[in-house]
Amino acid sequence: GDAAILHADLSLIPQDYLDLAARYPLAVNLRVRDIRKRHVSRNLLDPGSDWRGPVLVKSDLNSRGGPELLLARRAARQAGRPLPETRPADYTVLDCLAQVPQSVWADPTLVVERYLPEKRGPLNVMRVWSFMGDYERCTWYSSPETIVKGRNIVEFGPSEIPDEIRAERDRLGFDYGKFDFAIGPEGPVLYDANRTPAYLHSRPDLMRHAGEAMSAALIRMIRA
């Protein structure tokens, strides 16, 4: 084939997948093995951090660890073992670092970050930058909820992409994916980096256009 897209829905890609992808003339996202928060985030805290603002507790894994849990349950069924009782971690905002329970610090599946929200009046804002090669689109979304998700969006519009966020794409080696970011109180801040973005059901027109544009961008990458 002319190209491979490394599209395994896991936060840490197994080496066998990387070895296979490396056999192709073009391997999209070959450099993006690890998207765990401990690898991606610049906002991590530890118990001794000098941070007096609010904090966010969330999963170290992408998508709250849901894909890994699905695989673990499948493996348990195949082996005749009891299913794992673990559930995807929820986002939790706390007023300060001192409120973080010791159980969180002891849990390697969780991370604690500085909570750096973007506000638009009473609403919270998240910006989503999607890209494939030289194609890109960026949109801001607002919500009355603390964590902005597709199901709670009330407004949206086009967004510029700060140079600081473009630099994060270079740092992490992404050819294709989606970055969630905001213009927080300290400036642009990357929330999440995802190499397997989902379909946005609330905007099918945008998804159809994006599919065509990303396909054309992939062809340009192959020709280059």
Side-chain angles (χ1 to χ4, degrees), residues 199-218:
Y199 185 92
L200 185 60
H201 291 278
S202 62
R203 302 190 64 191
D205 56 332
L206 177 63
M207 293 294 96
R208 285 193 294 270
H209 170 76
E212 295 174 358
M214 287 185 174
S215 296
L218 176 59

Side-chain angles (χ1 to χ4, degrees), residues 108-176:
T109 69
L110 299 175
V111 296
V112 181
E113 292 183 320
R114 297 183 295 162
Y115 178 53
L116 299 169
E118 178 178 353
K119 306 290 289 187
R120 183 168 294 193
L123 302 177
N124 290 292
V125 175
M126 184 177 71
R127 300 168 189 259
V128 178
W129 178 31
S130 299
F131 49 82
M132 164 70 90
D134 59 10
Y135 164 80
E136 63 184 19
R137 72 175 188 274
C138 192
T139 307
W140 62 262
Y141 297 94
S142 66
S143 169
E145 303 294 328
T146 301
I147 305 300
V148 181
K149 294 290 185 182
R151 62 182 179 273
N152 58 40
I153 290 169
V154 295
E155 296 178 333
F156 61 86
S159 170
E160 296 296 321
I161 305 158
D163 290 341
E164 294 90 336
I165 300 300
R166 291 188 182 280
E168 293 292 77
R169 179 181 175 183
D170 293 338
R171 174 176 72 94
L172 297 170
F174 271 71
D175 302 305
Y176 162 63

Side-chain angles (χ1 to χ4, degrees), residues 6 17-23 27-33 173 175:
L6 191 61
Y17 287 77
L18 300 173
D19 293 342
L20 176 60
R23 295 168 55 185
V28 176
N29 279 351
L30 182 61
R31 297 175 293 166
V32 192
R33 184 187 185 193
D175 302 305

Side-chain angles (χ1 to χ4, degrees), residues 57 94 97-106:
V57 180
L94 301 172
L97 201 59
Q99 291 184 358
V100 179
Q102 183 57 40
S103 59
V104 169
W105 298 119

Side-chain angles (χ1 to χ4, degrees), residues 46-58:
D46 59 50
S49 296
D50 183 19
W51 171 251
R52 300 185 182 278
V55 302
L56 177 65
V57 180
K58 62 183 180 180

Side-chain angles (χ1 to χ4, degrees), residues 177-200:
K178 176 178 76 74
F179 282 10
D180 296 342
F181 71 98
I183 312 299
E186 298 183 357
V189 53
L190 179 64
Y191 287 162
D192 288 298
N194 186 355
R195 74 168 97 71
T196 54
Y199 185 92
L200 185 60

